[in-house]
Amino acid sequence: MEDCVLINGGKRLEGETTVQGSKNAGLPLIAAAVNLGGVRVLKNIPRISDVFDFLKILSFYNVKSTFVDNELKIDSTELRNPSEADFEKIISLSTKIRSSTYLLGAVLTKLKYLRLPKPGGCKLGTRPIDIHLSALVTLGGRVKEEHDYYIIELENLVEKDIDFRYPSVGATINTLLVAINGKKSIIIKNTALEPEVNAVIEYLNKSGKSVERIKNNIRISPSERNKNIDFKNPSDRIVMGDLLLSAIATKGELTIKGVNPIEIKALIRKITKSPCNLYINNDKIIYSPHCVLHGIIKTDPYPSFPTDLQAQYASAMLASGGSGQIVERVFGSRFEYAKQLELFGGNLKISNRRLSIYKSCLHSATVQATDLRCGAALVIAGLSVNGYTRINNLHIIDRGYEDIVKMYNNLGADLKRIE
Ligand code: UD1
């Protein structure tokens, strides 16, 4: 039997919850810790399979890591390039996760030579890494493309300003991690504004580096300082959004604690367009029933509506009895989940980058998680309908959610993991 989650749905979510550490900040923070060198401690790192896979990849570079609860100790004092046999294992692991690209920021400046596997991760259309690579070439690197990896060399860093054609999150962080090792100031223009980038900047600055955000540009000045500090990974804003949307889908009542609600301002703005009780109190969001989601969502880089929440929004829209449209503007193809929502009785229509959602009456279903956020969206649909829903490919959900079963069961849901 395939790994799956069984949901006995139709129960209102109720109670108080905290949110796991961020996946998309945690992964580049690990890369930053390796780049800074020595033995470093990161707190609040989620125990998710993307993190374990990235740590496994790093282990082939002789980076040792130990987890105690959510505290991660990373020792990269004896960093070295992997053996030929290990490189084959790295290639196969990298097909699973997109964040293998953070190897570049983690190890290149120390090792000066890297074979970077072509990354995997969710199937969201073509996901090139040309912005990362062209920035690297500007900084004096040499890149050669092979069948399933790039050979990257960086002998001497050339301090030149960079202007991104698109504010890519991964490219911003990788370029930043390479540029902090320069001897002169560099400005990177048109960088990503996502909170995950700011978490990395904060970590670097607290560690003695000199990185300044000037609107959507970043100035990196040389700094020989290298302090060893423990750093806390922020909470996961996408999981915060999931929780809010699952409360809407189940007509529930939740208090979500220890979060920074401003990070999902775009979602909160959309939700509060419908009459509902949503209160924000510093690091808490309190939601009580009930609201019907309507309207048009357009995804774009931060601070616009996050592409990583659109599937869950579509699911909650259907569950709440609403209707509307989603326009995906970040990735070429991100509506695979719509076919799965149709199996719940959802009435949806895809036309290019636009998904139309019509008022529907959902029922339980057997479905497949085709990508990480598709999985999160299907869980929300399953929570909202009476009867048993089965979601196959639980391992895809485990890529980004520490324990989705426990997270929802603590709020009164009835989920069971079957492996
Ligand atoms: C990160 C997140 C991902 C999120 C995305 C957008 C991680 C591990 N993943 O992904 O969950 O959905 O930000 O918020 O943090 N692009 C290029 N060339 C490049 C790089 C990107 O064309 O070199 C394009 C991509 O194909 C995509 C868009 O830019 O269309 C966004 O990509 P990017 O911001 O790089 O996303 P990731 O860093 O991969």
Side-chain angles (χ1 to χ4, degrees):
M1 188 161 169
E2 257 181 283
D3 62 322
C4 70
V5 57
L6 261 190
I7 306 178
N8 181 10
K11 298 175 170 47
R12 298 178 70 217
L13 291 189
E14 280 178 342
E16 269 194 11
T17 185
T18 48
V19 174
Q20 70 174 60
S22 165
K23 162 184 170 290
N24 290 352
L27 288 160
L29 283 171
I30 294 172
V34 173
N35 182 303
L36 290 165
V39 182
R40 307 264 159 181
V41 172
L42 294 171
K43 296 179 172 182
N44 200 31
I45 298 293
R47 299 174 73 107
I48 52 177
S49 71
D50 267 23
V51 164
F52 288 117
D53 286 340
F54 189 44
L55 291 174
K56 180 84 193 155
I57 291 174
L58 286 169
S59 75
F60 296 121
Y61 291 80
N62 209 22
V63 175
K64 301 174 186 88
S65 54
T66 29
F67 253 119
V68 178
D69 299 325
N70 290 101
E71 190 170 297
L72 178 65
K73 194 198 261 181
I74 304 161
D75 179 352
S76 53
T77 35
E78 288 165 34
L79 193 70
R80 56 160 166 70
N81 263 311
S83 68
E84 211 47 51
D86 284 347
F87 186 64
E88 289 307 313
K89 295 182 198 151
I90 294 172
I91 295 255
S92 117
L93 272 168
S94 300
T95 56
K96 284 165 65 185
I97 58 167
R98 167 78 175 173
S99 49
S100 57
T101 45
Y102 286 130
L103 256 182
L104 200 160
V107 307
L108 182 65
T109 41
K110 285 224 175 65
L111 298 179
K112 301 192 181 303
Y113 172 91
L114 166 71
R115 283 184 296 176
L116 182 70
K118 293 188 177 165
C122 289
K123 311 250 173 306
L124 313 175
T126 56
R127 292 182 80 175
I129 57 164
D130 60 301
I131 303 172
H132 307 235
L133 298 179
S134 79
L136 197 76
V137 169
T138 306
L139 293 177
R142 281 199 303 273
V143 179
K144 190 168 160 227
E145 185 171 356
E146 296 287 339
H147 174 63
D148 43 14
Y149 60 90
Y150 298 95
I151 299 177
I152 302 178
E153 287 173 280
L154 181 69
E155 207 47 58
N156 294 306
L157 201 136
V158 178
E159 290 85 355
K160 262 199 194 157
D161 293 349
I162 291 162
D163 194 351
F164 286 149
R165 69 167 171 81
Y166 183 87
S168 152
V169 175
T172 300
I173 293 174
N174 265 336
T175 309
L176 188 56
L177 291 179
V178 171
I180 50 163
N181 297 293
K183 302 251 180 303
K184 288 189 224 147
S185 292
I186 296 173
I187 294 191
I188 317 173
K189 295 184 187 149
N190 194 27
T191 59
L193 293 167
E194 268 72 357
E196 293 76 19
V197 175
N198 292 341
V200 174
I201 293 178
E202 190 189 339
Y203 181 39
L204 294 174
N205 282 333
K206 286 191 167 154
S207 305
K209 300 295 162 196
S210 175
V211 183
E212 188 188 357
R213 180 172 278 297
I214 310 157
K215 296 189 178 153
N216 61 347
N217 301 333
I218 295 175
R219 184 186 7 239
I220 302 134
S221 304
S223 168
E224 292 296 323
R225 281 176 301 155
N226 195 339
K227 288 194 272 180
N228 198 332
I229 55 139
D230 293 1
F231 189 77
K232 185 172 178 225
N233 181 33
S235 62
D236 195 306
R237 67 190 167 105
I238 304 304
V239 178
M240 163 168 56
D242 290 339
L243 284 162
L244 205 46
L245 290 166
S246 57
I248 292 172
T250 64
K251 302 187 175 30
E253 198 162 346
L254 286 190
T255 300
I256 308 169
K257 294 189 302 183
V259 290
N260 186 359
I262 203 125
E263 293 180 348
I264 50 162
K265 199 162 84 188
L267 171 67
I268 290 173
R269 264 210 210 115
K270 286 290 169 192
I271 293 174
T272 49
K273 278 201 169 147
S274 313
C276 70
N277 297 325
L278 191 151
Y279 307 100
I280 293 173
N281 177 355
N282 298 324
D283 63 346
K284 254 191 219 169
I285 303 178
I286 304 162
Y287 172 81
S288 64
H290 89 265
C291 103
V292 177
L293 299 178
H294 284 292
I296 300 182
I297 295 289
K298 287 185 184 156
T299 70
D300 254 326
Y302 191 83
S304 295
F305 196 94
T307 174
D308 280 1
L309 273 175
Q310 57 102 335
Q312 301 92 308
Y313 193 91
S315 183
M317 185 183 260
L318 280 170
S320 71
S323 60
Q325 290 186 347
I326 311 266
V327 183
E328 172 58 42
R329 290 154 53 112
V330 177
F331 290 106
S333 140
R334 204 165 193 180
F335 293 136
E336 271 295 298
Y337 69 84
K339 292 174 204 144
Q340 303 301 316
L341 287 178
E342 278 175 349
L343 299 173
F344 283 97
N347 185 0
L348 307 111
K349 195 169 149 235
I350 305 172
S351 112
N352 298 323
R353 285 182 160 203
R354 185 179 295 265
L355 175 70
S356 300
I357 298 166
Y358 304 97
K359 191 170 162 51
S360 313
C361 190
L362 301 188
H363 51 73
S364 59
T366 293
V367 289
Q368 312 278 341
T370 55
D371 64 71
L372 175 59
R373 305 305 171 186
C374 164
L378 300 180
V379 171
I380 291 174
L383 288 169
S384 75
V385 292
N386 289 326
Y388 281 93
T389 284
R390 177 185 157 139
I391 304 172
N392 292 326
N393 293 342
L394 177 57
H395 65 277
I396 291 186
I397 298 177
D398 289 338
R399 282 190 45 212
Y401 294 82
E402 203 161 42
D403 188 346
I404 203 156
V405 168
K406 192 166 153 204
M407 175 171 100
Y408 283 122
N409 284 354
N410 283 344
L411 296 169
D414 181 0
L415 279 69
K416 204 187 284 166
R417 168 184 288 269
I418 299 174
E419 280 165 313

